[in-house]
Amino acid sequence: MRFQQLLQRLPWLLSFMPNRSAPGASRLSTPGPTTALRPERLDTQAAVIHHLEWCVLFNEHLAVDSTQTHDIRPLPDAHHCDLGQWLARMHPRMADRDPRFLDLQQEHLRLHTMASQALALARNNRMARASTLLNTEFERSRARVLTLLREMQKS
């Protein structure tokens, strides 16, 4: 099974698929300033965008042959991605105020662990196992991160 076949088994990834003609060129952009949202909500909205941008980049890594990864931006780990850095900045402010914050930190680490495992499996031509991991544990973790962020944004 090739990477394209793997992508066909993961319909949610296809929704994040950027224009492949320019690797790394298509990125989600942060919305313009708005006065209707409190600063805390804007911070959380930025975190949602960081998560979605990382999902796009992860998708790009899945979509290319491992020999072609030099054409796209490296996939940052949990501590170096934008959401990971946001979590580190927000920890002093949010850890005691919102119990979901600690859940979010743990789920974010889990998401990156699942992503690394899936990429390793795919690059070792173990597509069936990669697909199973992506469609189960990785997908649950990805959705949980997004759900936690959106719940925090609403409060």
Side-chain angles (χ1 to χ4, degrees), residues 90-126:
M90 297 300 285
H91 184 82
R93 238 171 61 187
M94 298 289 288
D96 294 331
R97 281 185 20 196
D98 192 335
R100 293 171 294 198
F101 187 81
L102 297 176
D103 292 340
L104 175 60
Q105 285 182 307
Q106 290 176 335
E107 198 63 49
H108 177 250
L109 289 172
R110 180 173 159 70
L111 174 70
H112 278 268
T113 300
M114 297 297 114
S116 294
Q117 290 174 1
L119 281 173
L121 287 167
R123 295 212 168 109
N124 286 313
N125 289 323
R126 299 178 74 190

Side-chain angles (χ1 to χ4, degrees), residues 8-150:
Q8 289 171 356
R9 291 177 139 191
L10 306 169
W12 66 268
L13 277 175
L14 294 174
S15 68
F16 291 116
M17 193 68 158
N19 180 353
R20 299 295 303 150
S21 61
S26 177
R27 297 275 177 250
L28 299 173
S29 60
T30 56
T34 179
T35 56
L37 296 175
R38 298 183 319 251
E40 302 85 33
R41 289 191 69 196
L42 285 174
D43 284 344
T44 311
Q45 185 175 0
V48 169
I49 292 168
H50 293 324
H51 174 63
L52 295 175
E53 287 179 333
W54 183 88
C55 288
V56 169
L57 184 60
F58 176 72
N59 184 46
E60 290 177 7
H61 277 263
L62 272 179
V64 298
D65 186 316
S66 60
T67 62
Q68 304 285 325
T69 57
H70 63 277
D71 292 339
I72 58 175
R73 212 174 75 194
L75 187 65
D77 67 18
H79 303 289
H80 294 98
C81 72
D82 291 338
L83 179 56
Q85 291 180 1
W86 180 87
L87 288 166
R89 278 192 316 273
M90 297 300 285
H91 184 82
R93 238 171 61 187
M94 298 289 288
D96 294 331
R97 281 185 20 196
D98 192 335
R100 293 171 294 198
F101 187 81
L102 297 176
D103 292 340
L104 175 60
Q105 285 182 307
Q106 290 176 335
E107 198 63 49
H108 177 250
L109 289 172
R110 180 173 159 70
L111 174 70
H112 278 268
T113 300
M114 297 297 114
S116 294
Q117 290 174 1
L119 281 173
L121 287 167
R123 295 212 168 109
N124 286 313
N125 289 323
R126 299 178 74 190
M127 299 302 186
R129 292 203 61 188
S131 178
T132 299
L133 178 63
L134 288 167
N135 282 309
T136 57
E137 294 178 55
F138 175 84
E139 175 55 20
R140 280 191 292 269
S141 188
R142 182 198 65 78
R144 179 82 173 128
V145 166
L146 190 56
T147 298
L148 286 166
L149 284 167
R150 288 187 171 150

